[in-house]
Amino acid sequence: MVEDGGVFVDSGVIRAVGTADDLESSVGADVERLRFPGATVLPGLIDCHVHLAFDAGPDPVRAVTETGPDELFAAMAERAGQLLAAGVTTVRDLGDRGALTVALRDAIAAGKTPGPTVVAATAPLTVRGGHCWFLGGEVGTEDEIRARIAANAAAGADLIKVMASGGAMTPGGPRMWESQFSPGQLRLVVEEAARHGLAVAAHAHGTDAIAECVEAGVRTLEHCSWRTAEGVEYDPEVTRRMVEDDVAVCRCVSGDWRLFLEQMGPERAEAMIGAIRAMRTAGVRFIGGTDAGVPGARFGDYAGMLEFFASLGFDNAEVLDMATTNAAHALGLADTGRIAPGMRADLVAVDGDPLTDLSALRRVRHVLAAGRSAAR
Ligand SMILES: [Zn+2]
């Protein structure tokens, strides 16, 4: 923390960090000054799990499958803008259709449309009729697994997403706790992705699927809700391995988590929360993700997601690490998540001090994404 701090940004990169007085004397008079009295400047936030192609309405599947590519792209660009306005300067998209996120990523990087830096998974690997099959990533044989990963890599994917267990949004598919792939197939996914220089993010609700993904060597576990047919079954041994192998957990929570907990009922909610607390105690690296785009998960309610973790007893510094440093580390991004010379100029200024009052994150005064000021 630097009191009365200042950051000098040039050509999209942080050049110097210090007190405002220090910078005032070292930076030329012609350099534009932005002043935010009473605000805190922190690294731009990182949402590690969104679906820009989904509309967060009651039936995102229909919305994505029945929208033409041009219209869908425009909607995705608009959602990217909502994320940016909330202080999110990097977003990892974990499943879209037709690699539209890659086109959006490139348009944003070229300055053609405002938005956060996009890290794109493109079509997630799933089984025939499996979770999110409608995004185009169905595979069955080992050859099909190889071919899909090669196709995603060729389309410009930044990572590979695999649907290791069933999910809530796919009627008729495997149940949430059921594994979709064999352990051998998951290992193949990780090996093939690595051959293309890509890490793997695994959607895993089931306790079995979580264990199989850790064994296979995925980089991040999405959801990680420890589900079985009976309820919740947390496994401390698998968790120990996660910590050892530095597998991060993106325990996706949308801003409307209070409603979600209510619908779950007290007993299951308590079991779910108990598993999160146990993972925290074991030293798991948590990263922030909202699953924005799925029903009820609005784009840009990033602070709401962080407030969930605060409500479980995570302290504010820990929560901010999830949103910045830890997220950048887990995503393999060396140029964001910290305020230091040489880093990309991803910065957010919020009213007040989020270390003492997390709701400060809801009062965004200014956002710089790769050095560009977001219109407010
Ligand atoms: Zn998701």
Side-chain angles (χ1 to χ4, degrees), residues 49 51 94 161 203 223 252 291 294:
H49 190 136
H51 300 276
L94 288 184
K161 166 94 179 283
H203 161 109
H223 309 294
C252 303
D291 218 350
V294 307

Side-chain angles (χ1 to χ4, degrees), residues 168-186:
M169 248 176 52
T170 311
R175 312 297 293 266
M176 286 172 85
W177 59 85
E178 287 174 344
S179 294
Q180 295 206 124
F181 291 98
S182 72
Q185 286 173 317
L186 287 175

Side-chain angles (χ1 to χ4, degrees), residues 150-161:
N152 285 4
D158 299 299
L159 78 154
I160 296 298
K161 166 94 179 283

Side-chain angles (χ1 to χ4, degrees), residues 94-371:
L94 288 184
D96 81 313
R97 201 191 70 197
L100 282 172
T101 43
V102 171
L104 181 61
R105 174 194 72 194
D106 295 347
I108 290 170
K112 289 178 189 153
T113 180
T117 296
V118 175
V119 177
T122 69
L125 273 71
T126 191
V127 294
R128 293 242 139 60
H131 185 47
C132 288
W133 62 269
F134 45 83
L135 294 177
E138 287 175 298
V139 292
T141 65
E142 296 197 345
D143 280 346
E144 286 170 356
I145 290 175
R146 289 191 186 94
R148 171 43 56 188
I149 292 172
N152 285 4
D158 299 299
L159 78 154
I160 296 298
K161 166 94 179 283
V162 61
M163 299 300 198
S165 75
M169 248 176 52
T170 311
R175 312 297 293 266
M176 286 172 85
W177 59 85
E178 287 174 344
S179 294
Q180 295 206 124
F181 291 98
S182 72
Q185 286 173 317
L186 287 175
R187 277 198 300 276
L188 177 66
V189 169
V190 172
E191 277 167 27
E192 264 317 280
R195 240 168 39 78
H196 292 276
L198 304 176
V200 174
H203 161 109
H205 280 293
T207 298
D208 291 341
I210 293 166
E212 290 152 7
C213 287
V214 172
E215 182 64 38
V218 306
R219 189 79 179 88
T220 66
L221 283 167
E222 309 304 312
H223 309 294
C224 195
S225 51
W226 302 99
R227 286 178 195 250
T228 63
E230 288 74 39
V232 172
E233 195 186 322
Y234 172 69
D235 187 331
E237 191 44 42
V238 172
T239 303
R240 197 192 53 72
R241 178 85 187 272
M242 274 155 55
V243 175
E244 202 174 282
D245 295 353
D246 197 16
V247 179
V249 168
C250 186
R251 186 65 187 79
C252 303
V253 181
S254 63
D256 70 345
W257 52 271
R258 286 177 187 86
L259 180 71
F260 178 72
L261 290 182
E262 227 167 80
Q263 286 168 347
M264 223 177 203
E267 203 175 312
R268 282 196 37 214
E270 204 174 297
M272 187 199 82
I273 286 168
I276 295 173
R277 288 200 170 116
M279 285 191 280
R280 178 188 181 220
T281 305
V284 165
R285 184 191 298 274
F286 284 97
I287 58 177
T290 57
D291 218 350
V294 307
R298 296 192 292 115
F299 289 87
D301 196 0
Y302 192 84
M305 177 272 295
L306 294 180
E307 284 160 5
F308 168 74
F309 290 92
S311 80
L312 301 192
F314 286 58
D315 56 51
N316 290 7
E318 211 177 343
V319 162
L320 293 173
D321 279 349
M322 282 177 62
T324 56
T325 322
N326 277 351
H329 172 86
L331 271 49
L333 305 173
D335 58 353
T336 194
R338 286 188 304 130
I339 303 181
M343 304 294 278
R344 190 167 64 223
D346 292 337
L347 300 166
V348 53
V350 300
D351 246 329
D353 181 1
L355 278 176
T356 52
D357 171 17
L358 211 51
S359 75
L361 296 177
R362 294 188 173 279
R363 301 187 298 273
V364 173
R365 296 239 305 247
H366 198 83
V367 183
L368 274 190

